[in-house]
Amino acid sequence: MKRQPEEFSRFQETRGCLERLMSDIPFEVVLEVFCSAEPGDLLCLSRTSKHLRAILMSRHFEYIWRAARQNIGLPPPPHDLNEPQFAHLVFDDVYCYICKRKGRGNILWTFRARVCPKCAASALPDYGLPVRYHDRNYTYQQPVEYRYLDILPSEYVQVDQVSPMYWSKRKLVGSYKYARKFETEFKSLRSEVEREEWISQKQKELKANREHAQSCAQWFRSTLGNRSKELDVLRTKRMEDIIARFDAIGWGEEARLMANEYGNRFSTHRFAWQPKKLTDLIWDYIKDELLNLLAIHQADRLRKEEGDFRRKSYAAFSNAYRRIRDTLDLRQPLPAVGDILTYKPIEDIIWFSRLGDNVLTDAYSSSKIFEHLPDIIAEWRSKNTQQLADLLGIGATPSDLHLATSVFKCKADDCDTVLLYPGIFYHDCCLRGDTPNRLRAWKPGDRRAVAPWTTYEIEFNREISRVSKKVVKAFGLDPAATTVQDLYDANPLIECKTCARKDGSRYFTWWPLILSHPPSHTIKIHPSSSAALKSEITLQFPSSDERLSCSHCHSTILKGNMRLHLETTHSIHLVERQNPLVLDLQAIQEHWYFPLLPQYEYRKPVISLFEPGYLKVEASLLHSS
């Protein structure tokens, strides 16, 4: 005799309990117990022994199945199924009726079958069902007398994925099995009256069938929803118990943080999200794996928080410096944002600060920048002005950068901008060099360049410098001593002889717009005594709505509002306003200067009071010039 394994010895006393129950308890009591069960339970009982199967499958005891079905509110079975068959359809979700694979599938109430999504998506007429209901072959095989009448059973089923032929995950299917049966019955009828009565009867049967299927589907959805809610309650309780146990060992807060994240791996873990009670034995089994998951999450979270803190710190110091720079005189070169952020004392403050420090406050970041800004400016100007002067040639000094003949050009792609001192220090192409490793950790998320200022894209332009030298000489100034500001103050009127038109129109422009003009053109400088000509030109070329910088507070003001700003904000009493606006601004030029902010902060640095262009002037004006 084969010996029973030891692991099953503890169940020895419980073997045969159901058999003894049937023999020791009165049969009427057993039937009452069965009537209190559910159809799914009766199915399981009928498969435990031949004796119980004989009882439960007997037509004499069909009332037991009916009572069990009524216990759960399930609609009655259809006319072609008995109670056990109907219970098998509803509760036995072990396999697909077509492919016989295990797994829960769609219940096709109309066809009394369970079909997995894969079989529902691919028509398998050899198995009897399903087939696409609107398939041309399926439709044209039906007798023409009822081909387009609504008598063939059909049903919508869910499929796994959306096919290119369908717009949704539902598909209407039919059955060759029912189609062949209907065709055989129809062809056996000879008289036209019998066939009409048969069609009418099938339409009534289909209507009743659909009503029954709808009631069954509605019951199934409500039951499935209630069961789903019950399982969710059990899963939630298990999750709460797990977090409570983690609280005891100091990991509860991390568990809550991870569980509250969208799509986290903790709340959906196979050990955590189960509709089972958490016992000490289960906890000892699952604790280590869940704890390892929390440890990984904690490391990732701290790393992310540390990176976010660094980025916010960089942003705080960057915004603080921009606010401070707006109050400074930009006619003197100032460091770029990247130069401030890479200055070692500032960089150390950002990187050696920890979460919870007050680095992110505006007051703290501003105070630290104010503390180190004089040293930063002194060190930065000494280094970069010398680098820029080296581009002028051997022996050049930083003082040579102020000269009007020191003209540079940006060689970056699609730029080709002519640059003068000090605007060259605010050109955005000079802020796109190599970013230090630490600064790369900061991703501001916009187009602003944060690299330190560099001369990588800058070169000295000798050809345009000769044009500037020609303007200086023609205006009666010394090229070796005339600065950029001197020409801004003089504001010479320049005419291009090459651009003159045949209709007598002449082309006039101004400093430093002439530097962007073709250097091969012939130009003429009108003397400062030609006030009438300049006035005529300013009348025909009114000033555009650009901005100027106030020399007192360094804020940017619209050209037309500059006089009002000086009088109201700084209490400066000016002479009577001149007309036009350009002449009035020239009269108060000591109170403003052209803004030199980077191009990414304003549309473009303003370098002239009005645009150049063509115009015709009177002969008397030309004679006076």
Side-chain angles (χ1 to χ4, degrees):
M1 180 178 179
K2 187 175 181 181
R3 186 178 178 182
Q4 179 178 337
E6 294 182 2
E7 57 266 25
F8 295 110
S9 60
R10 58 182 176 145
F11 301 108
Q12 182 68 33
E13 298 180 358
T14 60
R15 297 181 65 188
C17 287
L18 187 60
E19 183 179 354
R20 291 198 302 270
L21 177 68
M22 295 293 296
S23 58
D24 295 345
I25 299 178
F27 187 62
E28 292 79 5
V29 177
V30 174
L31 294 180
E32 287 296 328
V33 173
F34 287 167
C35 289
S36 301
E38 295 183 2
D41 300 329
L42 296 181
L43 275 178
C44 295
L45 287 172
S46 67
R47 295 166 181 170
T48 56
S49 67
K50 293 182 179 180
H51 182 49
L52 284 176
R53 183 175 182 83
I55 294 175
L56 293 174
M57 294 302 170
S58 173
R59 289 187 178 181
H60 180 70
F61 296 108
E62 187 177 3
Y63 72 92
I64 298 176
W65 294 89
R66 191 180 306 112
R69 176 176 51 78
Q70 293 173 352
N71 290 336
I72 58 175
L74 180 65
H79 64 89
D80 55 343
L81 294 181
N82 57 34
E83 292 284 358
Q85 290 174 334
F86 189 50
H88 171 67
L89 173 65
V90 177
F91 296 98
D92 204 353
D93 56 353
V94 178
Y95 64 93
C96 170
Y97 287 15
I98 297 178
C99 64
K100 309 303 181 184
R101 293 175 181 170
K102 293 184 178 181
R104 181 175 299 178
N106 299 297
I107 299 180
L108 305 184
W109 302 100
T110 304
F111 301 111
R112 328 291 190 230
R114 277 185 177 270
V115 181
C116 66
K118 185 176 181 180
C119 292
S122 57
L124 299 174
D126 295 339
Y127 289 91
L129 71 134
V131 66
R132 290 193 294 273
Y133 188 76
H134 57 276
D135 190 351
R136 179 175 296 182
N137 295 330
Y138 175 75
T139 303
Y140 286 169
Q141 288 181 12
Q142 316 306 320
V144 68
E145 288 83 359
Y146 64 82
R147 179 181 300 171
Y148 300 106
L149 299 179
D150 192 17
I151 69 170
L152 289 173
S154 61
E155 187 166 346
Y156 280 100
V157 299
Q158 292 290 123
V159 295
D160 271 338
Q161 57 186 358
V162 181
S163 170
M165 298 178 60
Y166 303 98
W167 292 352
S168 67
K169 291 187 177 182
R170 294 204 315 160
K171 185 170 69 172
L172 186 65
V173 298
S175 171
Y176 275 117
K177 176 182 177 181
Y178 282 84
R180 287 192 291 265
K181 178 182 176 183
F182 279 28
E183 184 180 6
T184 302
E185 292 180 4
F186 183 78
K187 289 182 178 179
S188 64
L189 303 175
R190 298 301 179 185
S191 66
E192 192 68 26
V193 176
E194 290 179 344
R195 290 188 172 185
E196 291 180 357
E197 292 178 354
W198 180 87
I199 292 175
S200 177
Q201 180 63 27
K202 291 302 179 183
Q203 289 177 333
K204 293 179 181 179
E205 291 178 0
L206 180 61
K207 181 180 179 181
N209 193 352
R210 286 176 175 171
E211 291 176 354
H212 178 267
Q214 184 177 1
S215 61
C216 290
Q218 184 177 359
W219 172 88
F220 187 78
R221 286 193 298 269
S222 62
T223 303
L224 187 64
N226 294 334
R227 180 56 179 165
S228 178
K229 292 179 181 178
E230 294 174 1
L231 295 178
D232 286 343
V233 170
L234 295 175
R235 294 188 183 101
T236 303
K237 182 63 171 61
R238 181 184 176 99
M239 179 64 68
E240 292 174 352
D241 293 342
I242 290 176
I243 294 178
R245 290 179 183 262
F246 275 127
D247 278 328
I249 59 176
W251 284 87
E253 187 61 29
E254 191 67 32
R256 291 185 183 89
L257 290 174
M258 188 173 183
N260 291 332
E261 293 179 358
Y262 176 77
N264 66 87
R265 294 184 298 161
F266 178 71
S267 59
T268 58
H269 195 276
R270 58 190 180 96
F271 289 159
W273 195 245
Q274 285 190 15
K276 296 180 181 179
K277 183 179 179 180
L278 184 66
T279 63
D280 293 338
L281 183 63
I282 295 176
W283 171 248
D284 292 338
Y285 178 74
I286 69 175
K287 178 179 65 174
D288 292 339
E289 184 169 341
L290 293 180
L291 188 60
N292 182 58
L293 192 66
L294 291 179
I296 296 174
H297 175 267
Q298 184 187 59
D300 294 340
R301 177 179 60 82
L302 293 178
R303 192 181 304 111
K304 182 178 180 300
E305 290 178 356
E306 186 76 12
D308 292 341
F309 178 74
R310 296 286 169 258
R311 285 188 286 272
K312 290 179 181 178
S313 300
Y314 272 120
F317 277 86
S318 172
N319 294 332
Y321 175 64
R322 285 191 172 99
R323 289 192 299 270
I324 294 173
R325 189 184 59 184
D326 289 341
T327 64
L328 301 178
D329 189 350
L330 298 182
R331 287 173 291 185
Q332 297 297 325
L334 294 175
V337 174
D339 294 298
I340 299 295
L341 299 180
T342 54
Y343 185 65
K344 194 174 188 315
I346 299 294
E347 194 176 38
D348 290 344
I349 293 174
I350 295 175
W351 279 90
F352 291 111
S353 300
R354 292 293 176 259
L355 293 174
D357 294 346
N358 59 350
V359 179
L360 302 182
T361 61
D362 294 338
Y364 180 84
S365 55
S366 298
S367 65
K368 288 300 179 182
I369 290 179
F370 271 121
E371 178 183 346
H372 295 281
L373 190 57
D375 296 334
I376 298 175
I377 292 177
E379 180 181 333
W380 180 84
R381 283 181 182 172
S382 175
K383 172 186 174 182
N384 290 283
T385 55
Q386 185 58 52
Q387 287 185 1
L388 192 59
D390 292 341
L391 298 179
L392 296 176
I394 301 175
T397 62
S399 61
D400 295 330
L401 299 175
H402 297 264
L403 298 178
T405 56
S406 298
V407 183
F408 299 88
K409 184 178 181 180
C410 179
K411 56 183 180 181
D413 295 338
D414 301 327
C415 185
D416 202 33
T417 303
V418 175
L419 300 168
L420 296 170
Y421 180 92
I424 190 172
F425 289 102
Y426 305 102
H427 185 58
D428 57 346
C429 292
C430 298
L431 308 178
R432 297 174 182 173
D434 293 335
T435 306
N437 292 333
R438 279 185 170 182
L439 193 56
R440 290 176 187 172
W442 178 40
K443 299 178 181 178
D446 57 19
R447 297 181 299 171
R448 297 182 177 182
V450 295
W453 187 88
T454 178
T455 59
Y456 178 74
E457 298 289 354
I458 302 301
E459 65 179 5
F460 177 60
N461 196 308
R462 299 184 182 278
E463 188 176 17
I464 300 180
S465 179
R466 284 193 291 268
V467 175
S468 179
K469 187 175 182 179
K470 181 179 179 181
V471 173
V472 173
K473 286 184 175 181
F475 204 67
L477 300 175
D478 182 10
T482 303
T483 65
V484 174
Q485 188 61 41
D486 292 337
L487 280 184
Y488 274 126
D489 296 338
N491 197 24
L493 176 61
I494 306 170
E495 180 182 0
C496 179
K497 293 293 186 178
T498 308
C499 292
R501 292 178 175 177
K502 294 181 179 180
D503 62 354
S505 299
R506 304 171 69 176
Y507 183 82
F508 293 90
T509 185
W510 306 79
W511 166 269
L513 298 178
I514 189 61
L515 299 181
S516 299
H517 209 63
S520 59
H521 286 200
T522 303
I523 61 174
K524 176 184 177 182
I525 310 300
H526 291 270
S528 57
S529 60
S530 58
L533 177 60
K534 184 180 293 187
S535 177
E536 177 68 19
I537 292 175
T538 56
L539 286 173
Q540 296 193 38
F541 292 152
S543 173
S544 57
D545 190 20
E546 295 287 358
R547 296 174 180 265
L548 299 176
S549 291
C550 175
S551 299
H552 305 280
C553 63
H554 308 292
S555 57
T556 54
I557 310 296
L558 288 174
K559 288 180 179 179
N561 298 336
M562 179 57 70
R563 175 182 285 269
L564 179 63
H565 169 77
L566 294 172
E567 293 176 347
T568 58
T569 305
H570 303 291
S571 301
I572 299 176
H573 300 287
L574 304 172
V575 296
E576 185 179 353
R577 185 182 186 117
Q578 300 186 31
N579 194 22
L581 176 61
V582 173
L583 300 180
D584 178 61
L585 290 174
Q586 286 183 323
I588 59 173
Q589 193 165 359
E590 68 273 14
H591 297 292
W592 61 267
Y593 61 93
F594 291 111
L596 300 171
L597 294 178
Q599 294 182 14
Y600 53 75
E601 299 210 11
Y602 291 99
R603 289 179 298 171
K604 187 178 180 181
V606 180
I607 56 175
S608 181
L609 291 175
F610 59 90
E611 299 295 331
Y614 293 91
L615 57 90
K616 292 182 179 181
V617 296
E618 297 179 2
S620 60
L621 295 176
L622 293 175
H623 178 72
S624 63
S625 63

